[in-house]
Amino acid sequence: MQKISFNDNWKCNGKEVLVPHDAMIHTLRTTNAESGGAQAYFSGGSYVYEKSFNVPDEMLSKHIVFEFEGVYKNARVFINGREAGGADYGYIPFFVQADGLLVKGENIIRVECDNVQQPDSRWYSGAGIYRPVWMYVGTGDCIEPQSVKISTVSYSPAVIRVTSDRVVNVEITCGGAVVASGRGADFELDIPSGKLWSDESPFLYTCKAYTDTDECEFTFGIRKVEWNSRGLFVNGMQVLLRGGCLHHDSGILGSATFDESEFRKARMLKNAGFNAVRSAHNPVSRAMLEACDTLGLYVMDEAWDMWYNHKNKYDYASKWKENHLTDLKAMVNRDYNHPSVIMYSIGNEVSEPATDTGVAAAREMTDYLHTLDSSRAVTAGINLMILRMAKSGKGIYDDKEGGRKNDKKNKTGSMNSTLFNLITSFTGTAMNDFSKLKSVDRAVSPVLDTLDIAGYNYASGRYPAEPKEHPGRIVVGSETFPQDIVKNWNMVKKYPYLVGDFMWTAWDYLGEVGLGAWAYTADGKGFDKPYPWLLADCGAFDILGNAGAPVAYAKSAWGMLEKPWIGVQPVNHGTKPAKAVWRGSNAIDSWSWKNCAGKKAVVEVYTDAFSVELFINSKPIAKKKTKLNKAVFKVNYEPGVVKAVAYDNFGKAVSENTLVSSGDDISVCVYPEKSTVKPYEICYVNIVVADKNGIVECNADEKVKVSVNGGELLAFGSANPRTQERFDSGEYTTYYGRALAAVRAGESGAVTVTANGVSSEIKII
């Protein structure tokens, strides 16, 4: 079927918009928003999208299908006033058949969705048609989208299996040349000198499937995933997952999901050393899967954050029972041909498996996924503390609409997910040791034994005992504290049954405000932070894509730092921060703190070397042995140059690194990430306060006004976790010297981005 973009010329509540579109990001944030800090104090609403499109006479006889990659939520689609389909869950793709509903000439498609009832999510969801829309047009014996599937039978020699719901002809091409062909509804093909797909060599083939009247085309990779107590293997090679968890939002763009945004995020993660991502806690976007296919990132694709017990009063739990198998099928149908997807997760931190009914549900879903796709493992992000509490009658979730228990018999009081996170913040990394208790093991083993790979959230304390306690069990750290990465990675390397680690979180996100913040304001000292807190502030990367201390610390654990990394905890606040447990450090790789001379500064150096010596302006400060790849120095800030020299255990210098202060000639600078773009492409532009050499100054933030000529400014903002400023206003204050603009190019010519009178041009080619 011909695939046509259907994203232009939509209106939302009567206003012209570009799809993908997040309707929620344009609403007001208020102190009394019913969503609270979970949704960053945004309000919900009802949204009606409409689009008029022309259907010529010859098109009426064709088979037409619309695909919606994601609509949040309760989507209902109408074509010329007649209901044609929809989906309750806000994170799955769904298809709408248009046959018999279209007329010659003008047609109207309408999408109704809402998230009026709040709270409905533990993080920022966004709202509306936030992922792309497609129209498929076919004739005769149509090949439906996702109906042709390819799996790897063997990698040496390379043999693939092709299955379809009808007899099709298939051509496999490599670099434009046909390397294999066949015909049937279920058959195998040898791929001569087959090139294999992996994170280190993400080679993709193209499959063209066709009948006498229709055709489709997609990419795939030759890769076979296997798992046992000796490890996780891709094409026979053991793989250790260097992973991070990802929420679905696009930072300053809200939840609007553009291909360029997802590729940018995946590219930055890959360049930083990650080789895996976990979609937290819902199916990842098609664009992210394509980016991971292309760049070489393994994906743990997760279905939901809840089952039939509510975590929020109006979340998806009410509709989960009737839809969960359909949701899983939609996820598998879309994911099947993506080599990056190596395992499915059936949920995150659910409490239901504390009961026999919940364990049965886990077994049902695992078995069902095996029938849909036997080539991938099934896991889940299991929080062992939550299950132990639920097993003892102290559960934090309920199947009532209230979203929490208040049962005197169970003595659970007003416990909910926010309060549980508060308890976790006090417990901190000690929660890892809680998992070693025998009572915990008894509570969690029934559900873990239903899974192919046991996913542990914050339970690294039990890793060493697994072979004795549960011979044959395979484990993945599905969610871990970033400050534990060195300890965790040492165990990943040591224990073959421990196949990887996914830190919380790889990229900062909207909502769940202040979860990882090191806060300097009075209202940041509590856990449940009030308006105007906006971000979780717990990412290894901030929402703009700037790598923070957790990235460097992970790279030191993974053996990927060529020289010591120097980070400085912000010098300009003059007070100690209130520290959240989901962040191990807020250090920034900068020695530019204007007007802070003489103030106390904490310098962190990360390296896997034996010891580190610190110098400020050539003066030796101290030499320290590293502990868990870290050395910390308390110094007085002095502008100039800070240098760290790493030594081996014989005292020989092996590497060094420096940070240099900015000069006095600081100003707003505009740095596009690309010099050329395609028509209508999304491009990112860094707007910073820096000197003539591009050194960013962290203590001279400015309010910046941005305008665009030859294109459209989609969003502009900084990574400030606590602000009343808006991403859609065109004005924002830099944060530690940095801000970012997302711009959509026009049709031709050039895009000119101007910030406080300073301009930069991007050519459209």
Side-chain angles (χ1 to χ4, degrees):
M1 299 180 76
Q2 183 185 10
K3 185 178 181 181
I4 304 168
S5 174
F6 205 67
N7 295 318
D8 294 333
N9 302 316
W10 285 90
K11 290 184 178 181
C12 175
N13 294 354
K15 182 180 179 180
E16 292 184 3
V17 297
L18 171 68
V19 168
H21 174 256
D22 178 8
M24 195 175 192
I25 201 72
H26 302 291
T27 63
L28 293 177
R29 299 173 65 223
T30 59
T31 58
N32 59 351
E34 292 182 343
S35 67
Q39 289 261 30
Y41 301 98
F42 283 94
S43 298
S46 295
Y47 316 102
V48 177
Y49 289 80
E50 286 192 337
K51 174 172 176 167
S52 173
F53 62 103
N54 185 66
V55 175
D57 186 55
E58 64 271 17
M59 195 170 166
L60 289 176
S61 61
K62 296 183 179 180
H63 178 46
I64 297 177
V65 178
F66 293 102
E67 179 188 10
F68 293 85
E69 291 192 21
V71 180
Y72 197 89
K73 62 178 185 172
N74 302 324
R76 294 297 177 265
V77 180
F78 300 82
I79 298 176
N80 294 325
R82 297 169 63 183
E83 187 166 357
D88 294 326
Y89 193 33
Y91 296 105
I92 59 165
F94 63 94
F95 295 87
V96 173
Q97 305 280 348
D99 297 358
L101 300 177
L102 300 175
V103 298
K104 180 182 177 181
E106 185 183 39
N107 290 256
I108 302 293
I109 186 168
R110 185 173 85 252
V111 180
E112 297 178 359
C113 56
D114 76 88
N115 64 344
V116 171
Q117 294 181 312
Q118 294 289 332
D120 73 336
S121 175
R122 295 193 303 119
W123 59 86
Y124 179 82
S125 64
I129 308 178
Y130 70 99
R131 289 178 179 170
V133 184
W134 303 92
M135 181 171 69
Y136 296 86
V137 180
T139 58
D141 186 22
C142 290
I143 302 175
E144 296 285 350
Q146 305 173 347
S147 64
V148 180
K149 294 180 170 62
I150 291 181
S151 58
T152 300
V153 176
S154 169
Y155 50 85
S156 183
V159 180
I160 62 172
R161 180 187 178 193
V162 181
T163 59
S164 177
D165 61 356
R166 70 200 63 211
V167 174
V168 293
N169 302 292
V170 165
E171 289 181 349
I172 307 301
T173 62
C174 172
V178 176
V179 297
S181 61
R183 176 179 170 83
D186 189 342
F187 59 95
E188 294 184 1
L189 282 177
D190 295 334
I191 308 297
S193 303
K195 299 179 180 179
L196 307 183
W197 187 98
S198 71
D199 64 319
E200 295 183 351
S201 180
F203 189 87
L204 295 173
Y205 286 86
T206 298
C207 172
K208 180 180 179 181
Y210 61 96
T211 64
D212 291 339
T213 58
D214 200 15
E215 66 179 44
C216 72
E217 188 173 286
F218 58 88
T219 59
F220 71 95
I222 300 174
R223 68 102 187 88
K224 189 176 182 68
V225 183
E226 298 168 292
W227 56 92
N228 54 51
S229 59
R230 297 187 303 276
L232 177 72
F233 301 87
V234 174
N235 298 326
M237 302 294 291
Q238 187 176 18
V239 169
L240 305 180
L241 301 175
R242 304 186 300 272
C245 302
L246 286 179
H247 270 309
H248 75 294
D249 74 67
S250 299
I252 60 175
L253 288 165
S255 65
T257 305
F258 295 97
D259 289 9
E260 297 90 340
S261 303
E262 299 289 70
F263 267 83
R264 177 180 183 265
K265 185 181 295 184
R267 183 177 63 254
M268 289 179 169
L269 290 168
K270 178 76 176 189
N271 290 342
F274 289 88
N275 73 348
V277 296
R278 172 194 179 210
S279 64
H281 304 287
N282 43 260
V284 72
S285 70
R286 170 200 54 81
M288 179 56 75
L289 291 181
E290 291 183 351
C292 293
D293 290 345
T294 302
L295 300 172
L297 284 166
Y298 299 114
V299 177
M300 178 198 296
D301 210 4
E302 196 155 81
W304 315 277
D305 183 48
M306 79 298 292
W307 291 354
Y308 51 80
N309 285 350
H310 284 271
K311 292 186 177 182
N312 285 280
K313 185 174 182 179
Y314 298 111
D315 65 23
Y316 189 61
S318 298
K319 299 180 179 180
W320 183 88
K321 285 184 178 180
E322 63 185 280
N323 292 333
H324 68 287
L325 296 183
T326 303
D327 292 345
L328 289 177
K329 187 174 183 179
M331 182 173 73
V332 171
N333 280 344
R334 187 203 58 182
D335 291 356
Y336 197 96
N337 292 324
H338 290 282
S340 57
V341 178
I342 61 170
M343 65 179 82
Y344 301 114
S345 169
I346 58 174
N348 171 68
E349 297 193 340
V350 293
S351 61
E352 289 88 341
T355 67
D356 292 342
T357 301
V359 173
R363 184 176 295 108
E364 173 201 39
M365 288 185 284
T366 299
D367 291 345
Y368 182 60
L369 283 169
H370 287 161
T371 65
L372 297 175
D373 183 356
S374 61
S375 69
R376 293 174 169 99
V378 178
T379 186
I382 300 297
N383 188 302
L384 282 64
M385 181 184 285
I386 286 178
L387 280 193
R388 172 63 180 83
M389 292 170 64
K391 192 74 173 179
S392 63
K394 299 178 181 178
I396 67 174
Y397 306 128
D398 197 352
D399 60 359
K400 305 293 189 298
E401 275 199 3
R404 56 181 166 183
K405 290 195 173 189
N406 191 9
D407 187 339
K408 292 181 180 179
K409 182 178 178 181
N410 288 329
K411 299 179 181 180
T412 56
S414 59
M415 175 73 78
N416 60 17
S417 58
T418 300
L419 186 53
F420 177 79
N421 280 342
L422 173 61
I423 293 172
T424 301
S425 70
F426 285 123
T427 306
T429 56
M431 186 163 64
N432 293 319
D433 293 326
F434 175 86
S435 65
K436 294 188 290 188
L437 298 176
K438 291 291 185 181
S439 60
V440 172
D441 188 56
R442 289 192 298 269
V444 302
S445 284
V447 68
L448 294 177
D449 290 342
T450 70
L451 305 170
D452 298 318
I453 298 177
Y456 288 177
N457 284 16
Y458 309 107
S460 59
R462 64 184 290 124
Y463 292 165
E466 288 302 333
K468 180 180 178 180
E469 299 293 332
H470 301 282
R473 180 177 288 179
I474 313 162
V475 177
V476 64
S478 45
E479 193 167 316
T480 63
F481 294 112
Q483 58 267 39
D484 289 341
I485 184 60
V486 174
K487 291 186 291 185
N488 288 346
W489 197 250
N490 286 339
M491 288 190 282
V492 171
K493 292 187 293 184
K494 182 177 181 179
Y495 304 126
Y497 54 85
L498 179 60
V499 300
D501 177 274
F502 289 81
M503 70 168 66
W504 191 267
T505 181
W507 203 280
D508 197 16
Y509 56 96
L510 301 168
E512 217 168 9
V513 298
L515 181 75
W518 283 25
Y520 295 91
T521 59
D523 65 358
K525 298 187 184 303
F527 177 78
D528 194 13
K529 295 179 176 57
Y531 177 88
W533 282 86
L534 173 67
L535 307 178
D537 201 22
C538 63
F541 284 85
D542 67 22
I543 64 163
L544 309 187
N546 299 308
V551 172
Y553 198 45
K555 292 180 74 172
S556 77
W558 298 332
M560 293 181 173
L561 277 184
E562 296 181 357
K563 53 188 177 181
W565 183 87
I566 308 171
V568 183
Q569 295 181 18
V571 182
N572 56 337
H573 296 288
T575 183
K576 293 182 179 180
K579 300 178 181 180
V581 70
W582 277 275
R583 177 178 290 279
S585 172
N586 68 340
I588 301 170
D589 56 342
S590 174
W591 194 241
S592 294
W593 301 92
K594 186 178 180 181
N595 299 325
C596 290
K599 288 188 176 182
K600 300 294 183 181
V602 178
V603 179
E604 302 178 17
V605 181
Y606 303 157
T607 176
D608 57 5
F610 180 77
S611 62
V612 172
E613 187 172 16
L614 194 73
F615 299 82
I616 297 178
N617 294 329
S618 301
K619 177 183 177 182
I621 302 300
K623 187 176 183 179
K624 294 186 177 183
K625 290 182 180 180
T626 57
K627 183 178 181 181
L628 293 175
N629 292 20
K630 181 192 294 187
V632 179
F633 303 86
K634 295 182 179 180
V635 302
N636 291 324
Y637 176 73
E638 182 181 320
V641 180
V642 61
K643 180 171 73 172
V645 179
Y647 300 89
D648 63 18
N649 56 350
F650 297 105
K652 179 183 177 182
V654 292
S655 61
E656 65 178 55
N657 197 9
T658 60
L659 294 176
V660 180
S661 301
S662 66
D664 294 331
D665 55 334
I666 58 172
S667 62
V668 171
C669 302
V670 181
Y671 297 128
E673 293 185 349
K674 294 181 178 181
S675 59
T676 61
V677 293
K678 297 177 182 178
Y680 307 115
E681 183 180 352
I682 310 298
C683 54
Y684 283 89
V685 180
N686 289 285
I687 297 172
V688 299
V689 179
D691 67 9
K692 63 181 180 181
N693 296 316
I695 299 174
V696 175
E697 171 54 55
C698 290
N699 195 38
D701 286 316
E702 291 190 30
K703 188 164 188 176
V704 179
K705 184 174 183 179
V706 172
S707 61
V708 173
N709 186 36
E712 178 185 2
L713 178 64
L714 299 181
F716 173 56
S718 77
N720 189 344
R722 180 188 180 277
T723 179
Q724 298 184 48
E725 296 179 303
R726 300 182 56 84
F727 298 134
D728 59 3
S729 70
E731 295 186 48
Y732 222 94
T733 304
T734 59
Y735 185 64
Y736 296 133
R738 300 181 183 273
L740 184 72
V743 175
R744 186 184 190 226
E747 183 176 6
S748 61
V751 182
T752 302
V753 179
T754 302
N756 285 11
V758 179
S759 298
S760 187
E761 186 177 274
I762 311 165
K763 292 183 179 180
I764 302 172
I765 59 172

